[in-house]
Amino acid sequence: MPASSLPTRGLFGASVRRFFVRNRVTISLLLFIALIVEDLIFGTKPNYGWLRNPSLPGVLGFAMVLLGLGVRSWAAGILRKGIDLTTVGPYSLCRNPLYLGSFAVMIGFCLMIGYTHDFVVVCGPILAIYVFTVLNEERRLDEKYPQRWPTYAARTPRQWTKSREYQGLLWTVVGLIGFEVWRLYG
């Protein structure tokens, strides 16, 4: 289905959807910080390690974080945002590899923490925000590239879904180190 024919009405009004799309990174960060603060207040610690005394969920979570970062870095290195419709590299495999990578990082951290409510927050509100974002971006790409987008969208699946990719890497590494310190000594 072309992006222009995607539903524009739904559970939330257009202004609410725009707010979530524009503030998705801040909202995601605040939700994760809230989860960590909540765990600290109630004295809970991550269940699974990846460095010392590794466990299957911990190692799997760590691998998901690295995989997500790899996908994001690959996609950011190829993206020609605002210049051209990028259809090569990870964009030949899925339409939204940056969001796919971000979501993999979030799921990886949730696996390492090991609490169901963390998954509920990530797979609930954060997933909804990313769905709004993907639909919004696909509408814009369909309008900007009306000859090329329909063909690309028809052959490339929508997956879950640049400049400053080094910031994502930096904060993820800080998060991984902080996670292990918290787990071992908190």
Side-chain angles (χ1 to χ4, degrees), residues 88-111:
V88 298
Y91 293 91
S92 68
L93 304 172
C94 72
R95 293 184 224 163
N96 303 289
L98 285 167
Y99 299 128
L100 176 67
S102 294
F103 201 66
V105 168
M106 289 184 252
I107 293 295
F109 275 112
C110 287
L111 280 169

Side-chain angles (χ1 to χ4, degrees), residues 6 8-9 14 62 77 79 85-87 93 107 112-113 115 126-127 132 140 147 151 153 155-157 163 168 173 180:
L6 292 171
T8 56
R9 295 202 166 95
F62 182 68
L79 181 63
L85 178 63
T86 306
T87 60
L93 304 172
I107 293 295
M112 290 187 291
I113 292 171
Y115 294 106
I126 293 177
L127 178 60
F132 292 153
R140 285 185 304 140
Q147 281 75 39
T151 304
R155 78 168 186 261
T156 309
S163 23
V173 168
E180 276 300 300

Side-chain angles (χ1 to χ4, degrees), residues 8-19:
T8 56
R9 295 202 166 95
L11 187 58
F12 298 103
S15 61
V16 173
R17 285 193 312 271
R18 270 194 304 276
F19 172 80

Side-chain angles (χ1 to χ4, degrees), residues 96-144:
N96 303 289
L98 285 167
Y99 299 128
L100 176 67
S102 294
F103 201 66
V105 168
M106 289 184 252
I107 293 295
F109 275 112
C110 287
L111 280 169
M112 290 187 291
I113 292 171
Y115 294 106
T116 306
H117 69 278
D118 292 342
F119 281 101
V120 170
V121 169
V122 169
C123 294
I126 293 177
L127 178 60
I129 290 168
Y130 278 80
V131 168
F132 292 153
T133 303
V134 165
L135 294 176
N136 182 59
E137 286 184 8
E138 288 186 356
R139 257 186 229 100
R140 285 185 304 140
L141 289 169
D142 187 32
E143 291 169 5
K144 187 169 182 170

